């Protein structure tokens, strides 16, 4: 039998496997290395799609907010307060200097407490009437009248001047506040005050008594809060150098309208 030239030169003991190959390697390792990049790419693509969806939702939300603001400006101008029927523009974070924002925020909360106290006082008077209070009818009528009247007047003649004063830093506001005093709380504790509360508890009318206590606490918070913040406003008025002469000059040049407007 004749042997080919290639057969003679071929080493019969040579292995087709490389000597560098580890016999203990996982035979499927190469397959995993091929699959992993594609799997990672798929996860990366899914993450990018989710991120794009979140951004799209955020843009849609902002667009809705801008549309609502534009519609509100179209109907009411820039006015945004009160929310259910905007009459004035009120934005502490935008209009009040950063150093004074905490004070104005607390004063706004104090005004909200006053408005809430007036409502609680009215509810208390209803229970006073139903529990047989001697002046139940009169107290209820008074509470119904003073709830909206004091709420509006306290905002216009107490909170708003303070707000505008810290926004504009004009002597006109501070002289008004300092010489008038910041408190608009009546000297009595309301129709459902201390005396009425004690009488309701003595007659076993617990619900009327509890609402009377809440109203009385609300009036007390108003008195103490106004006294405390009056001192701070006075200190700011003195440190800023606001004087009656400056207030008269501002009133003469700008007129009384400037006192009630934001300009």
């Amino acid at each position: 039998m004749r042997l080919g030239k290639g057969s003679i030169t071929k080493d019969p003991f040579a292995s087709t496997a490389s000597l560098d190959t580890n016999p203990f390697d996982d035979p499927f390792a190469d397959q995993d290395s091929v699959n992993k990049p594609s799997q990672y790419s798929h996860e990366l693509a899914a993450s990018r799609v989710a991120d794009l969806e979140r951004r799209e939702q955020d843009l849609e939300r902002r667009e809705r907010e801008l549309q609502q603001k534009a519609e509100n400006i179209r109907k009411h101008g820039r006015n945004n307060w009160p929310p259910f029927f905007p009459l004035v523009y009120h934005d502490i974070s935008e209009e009040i200097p950063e150093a004074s924002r905490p004070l104005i925020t607390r004063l706004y909360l104090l005004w909200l407490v006053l408005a809430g106290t007036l409502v609680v006082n009215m509810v208390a008077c209803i229970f006073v009437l139903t529990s047989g209070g001697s002046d139940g009818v009169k107290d209820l009528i008074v509470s119904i009248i003073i709830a909206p009247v004091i709420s509006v007047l306290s905002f216009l003649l107490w909170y708003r001047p303070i707000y505008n004063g810290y926004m504009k830093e004009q002597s006109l506001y501070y002289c008004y506040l300092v010489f008038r005093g910041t408190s608009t709380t009546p000297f009595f504790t309301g129709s459902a005050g201390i005396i009425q509360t004690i009488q309701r508890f003595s007659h076993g009318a617990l619900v009327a008594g509890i609402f009377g206590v809440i109203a009385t606490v609300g009036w007390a918070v108003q008195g103490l809060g106004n006294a405390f913040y009056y001192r701070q406003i006075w200190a700011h008025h003195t440190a800023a150098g606001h004087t009656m002469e400056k207030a008269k000059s501002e009133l003469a040049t700008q007129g009384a309208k400037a006192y009630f407007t934001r300009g």
Side-chain angles (χ1 to χ4, degrees):
M1 185 172 76
R2 296 178 61 184
L3 298 176
K5 183 178 180 181
S7 300
I8 296 174
T9 58
K10 185 176 181 180
D11 185 358
F13 301 100
S15 173
T16 58
S18 173
L19 294 177
D20 295 332
T21 302
N22 188 346
F24 300 102
D25 282 345
D26 185 357
F28 300 100
D30 294 339
Q31 184 177 355
D32 290 343
S33 64
V34 172
N35 293 336
K36 282 181 180 179
S38 61
Q39 182 179 2
Y40 174 77
S41 300
H42 177 72
E43 293 177 353
L44 181 61
S47 175
R48 289 179 176 176
V49 170
D51 183 59
L52 289 174
E53 290 178 351
R54 284 193 298 268
R55 292 184 180 183
E56 183 179 359
Q57 293 174 358
D58 185 58
L59 288 174
E60 291 177 354
R61 178 182 59 79
R62 293 182 180 181
E63 184 179 1
R64 287 194 300 269
E65 291 177 354
L66 290 175
Q67 290 176 351
Q68 291 174 356
K69 289 181 179 180
E71 181 66 17
N72 182 74
I73 292 175
R74 186 184 68 81
K75 290 182 177 180
H76 309 285
R78 290 196 69 197
N79 297 339
N80 62 353
W81 194 96
F84 55 86
F85 191 76
L87 296 174
V88 297
Y89 186 77
H90 179 268
D91 192 337
I92 295 175
S93 62
E94 178 181 330
E95 296 191 306
I96 304 300
E98 185 176 358
S100 302
R101 288 173 194 169
L103 172 63
I104 301 302
T105 301
R106 291 192 295 268
L107 285 171
Y108 180 59
L109 293 176
L110 187 64
W111 179 84
L112 291 177
V113 170
L114 172 61
T117 300
L118 290 166
V119 174
V120 172
N121 178 75
M122 184 172 61
V123 174
C125 288
I126 294 175
F127 283 104
V128 169
L129 176 62
T130 57
S131 64
S134 57
D135 295 326
V137 176
K138 181 184 72 176
D139 290 339
L140 179 59
I141 293 174
V142 171
S143 67
I144 292 174
I145 294 174
I146 68 174
V149 171
I150 293 182
S151 295
V152 174
L153 292 181
S154 62
F155 185 88
L156 295 177
L157 302 178
W158 169 64
Y159 173 73
R160 194 65 180 178
I162 300 174
Y163 182 95
N164 287 341
Y166 276 84
M167 176 179 67
K168 300 179 181 181
E169 281 299 339
Q170 293 180 348
S171 298
L172 179 61
Y173 294 96
Y174 290 100
C175 289
Y176 165 80
L177 295 169
V178 168
F179 287 97
R180 175 190 168 278
T182 62
S183 176
T184 56
T185 305
F187 290 104
F188 54 88
T189 58
S191 300
I194 297 176
I195 297 176
Q196 194 71 266
T197 300
I198 295 174
Q199 290 178 351
R200 292 306 92 202
F201 277 123
S202 64
H203 287 81
L206 297 180
V207 177
I210 291 172
F211 274 98
V213 169
I214 297 174
T216 302
V217 171
W219 296 121
V221 169
Q222 287 298 308
L224 295 174
N226 278 288
F228 176 76
Y229 291 120
Y230 179 81
R231 293 184 59 187
Q232 292 194 14
I233 294 171
W234 172 269
H236 181 82
H237 156 82
T238 304
H242 296 294
T243 62
M244 181 60 72
E245 288 71 22
K246 289 183 179 180
K248 291 179 180 179
S249 176
E250 292 169 1
L251 184 62
T253 56
Q254 302 178 16
K257 184 180 178 179
Y259 178 80
F260 298 100
T261 61
R262 296 175 55 251

